[in-house]
Amino acid sequence: MLVNVRSYFTPKSIAQKLSTLPKLESPVMDTFFPESRRRQWPLPVIGLDHIAKVTRAVPVIRRGSPAIPMGQGARAWEWIEPQPVEVSDFFSAVDLNNWKLLDDVSKDMVITEKINDMRTVVRNTTEGLCAQALTGTITWPMRLQDGTTDTYTVDFTNGGANPLLTYSVTTAWNNNGKTLVSIMDDMIKLEDLFANEGYGNPEFWCGRDVYLAAFALAQAANSGKNSPINVQINDRSITIGGYTLKLALGSYYNPALAAQGVAPTLRVVGDKQILAFARNAPFTLYYTALDDMYANLLPMPFYARPVEQEDP
């Protein structure tokens, strides 16, 4: 009896299987790169100028005058070459013999489970890459053809030419002299940084220590009778004078640390940090063209196909 699994890996079949699986939840991807911010890019590389482009307001022009250029003009192109996330699973000869005993429904369930495992690994890896991208630099382990490991690095700051917005408080939030008014002042200054870049209404993710310090002040204010600032404490969030601080305990797995024998899980936001972001900033996740003839060299978030491999 001939065993053929290829019919279960056609693009149509895979699409049907993916549509039946539950949606994967990824805090960083879902917040910063939701479905509306994910693009399929037809090339295997993408220019840094395309990612770092600025689309602010420009002057109007008199009718008949030349248009205002949006690009960098003669600036040399710098390319980012995204590396693939590629995993494999194996059907042994024993598995294929057992395969003969299954009916079509059971076979489909086995394939669906394998696809689910693979897409979960791909998503978790993408989540880690997205989390690192928020720092301005990606440094991720990259497996080479000979089995050794190198480091895949992407510097979105272009060597510091496009630095991240940063702010350091004058008085630590857990200092005895810190007040709610002082916290509000920090929030206003952070918002000013965004406003200077053309973005508004920033949101704030807080690390553990920062959140607990704000929580202590908010709780003390709520216990008083005449607090000058409106304070609200909700599940995992604190609103102080209209600014909402959310507790961010999300983390990601870094395989490079695991290989070094170090604790491999890293917080997206450090315990003593605040991550501020504006949703109207141009966060975009690009899926570039796959180096796979069977995928027609097209960009896809996920693709799977069977490959015959001899294993003596």
Side-chain angles (χ1 to χ4, degrees):
M1 177 180 178
L2 182 63
V3 177
N4 182 14
V5 299
R6 291 188 180 277
S7 61
Y8 294 89
F9 286 93
T10 64
K12 182 179 180 180
S13 177
I14 292 175
Q16 289 175 341
K17 290 176 175 59
L18 291 175
S19 66
T20 63
L21 293 171
K23 181 180 178 180
L24 295 175
E25 294 185 1
S26 307
V28 174
M29 282 187 65
D30 295 341
T31 301
F32 296 90
F33 308 98
E35 293 288 348
S36 61
R37 296 294 186 91
R38 300 173 193 175
R39 304 281 189 271
Q40 294 190 0
W41 187 250
L43 304 176
V45 296
I46 186 168
L48 183 60
D49 278 13
H50 186 84
I51 295 177
K53 63 184 178 182
V54 178
T55 53
R56 298 176 182 169
V58 298
V60 298
I61 63 170
R62 184 180 293 276
R63 293 175 63 188
S65 301
I68 297 174
M70 292 180 59
Q72 298 288 339
R75 177 178 169 179
W77 278 95
E78 296 180 65
W79 297 97
I80 293 176
E81 184 180 13
Q83 301 300 318
V85 181
E86 189 169 343
V87 295
S88 63
D89 203 348
F90 191 68
F91 275 107
S92 67
V94 174
D95 294 328
L96 292 177
N97 258 330
N98 293 336
W99 180 269
K100 301 175 184 178
L101 305 176
L102 302 177
D103 58 23
D104 289 341
V105 174
S106 298
K107 291 176 180 177
D108 195 70
M109 290 176 61
V110 171
I111 297 296
T112 300
E113 185 65 22
K114 285 186 176 292
I115 288 178
N116 184 50
D117 291 344
M118 295 173 72
R119 70 152 188 162
T120 301
V121 172
V122 171
R123 172 58 70 92
N124 288 340
T125 304
T126 308
E127 174 78 352
L129 292 169
C130 288
Q132 285 198 353
L134 299 179
T135 69
T137 303
I138 290 175
T139 54
W140 200 260
M142 179 171 60
R143 182 69 60 86
L144 304 180
Q145 290 182 344
D146 61 1
T148 60
T149 301
D150 201 349
T151 301
Y152 172 57
T153 303
V154 179
D155 180 11
F156 295 104
T157 70
N158 193 21
N162 303 308
L164 296 177
L165 297 179
T166 59
Y167 173 77
S168 298
V169 299
T170 303
T171 304
W173 285 21
N174 60 354
N175 187 289
N176 291 333
K178 195 69 174 180
T179 64
L180 289 178
V181 173
S182 179
I183 286 181
M184 279 195 61
D185 183 55
D186 289 333
M187 296 295 97
I188 292 171
K189 289 176 179 177
L190 278 169
E191 188 171 18
D192 284 342
L193 291 176
F194 282 88
N196 292 338
E197 297 296 323
Y199 307 118
N201 300 320
E203 300 180 28
F204 306 95
W205 282 10
C206 298
R208 178 181 180 277
D209 293 353
V210 174
Y211 184 84
L212 289 177
F215 183 88
L217 288 173
Q219 191 175 45
N222 278 345
S223 64
K225 294 184 178 180
N226 297 312
S227 175
I229 299 176
N230 181 29
V231 177
Q232 296 178 0
I233 299 178
N234 300 305
D235 293 340
R236 299 169 66 95
S237 69
I238 304 169
T239 300
I240 301 174
Y243 291 97
T244 299
L245 310 173
K246 295 183 178 181
L247 177 61
L249 294 180
S251 60
Y252 67 94
Y253 181 88
N254 189 324
L257 298 180
Q260 298 169 14
V262 182
T265 303
L266 296 176
R267 296 285 191 193
V268 175
V269 182
D271 288 343
K272 301 181 184 299
Q273 294 179 332
I274 292 178
L275 173 63
F277 62 95
R279 290 188 184 271
N280 63 333
F283 294 104
T284 307
L285 175 63
Y286 289 96
Y287 295 109
T288 55
L290 299 177
D291 297 326
D292 195 308
M293 297 294 291
Y294 291 91
N296 295 322
L297 304 178
L298 295 175
M300 298 182 190
F302 179 83
Y303 179 75
R305 66 180 177 89
V307 178
E308 184 175 346
Q309 178 178 332
E310 294 185 1
D311 187 1

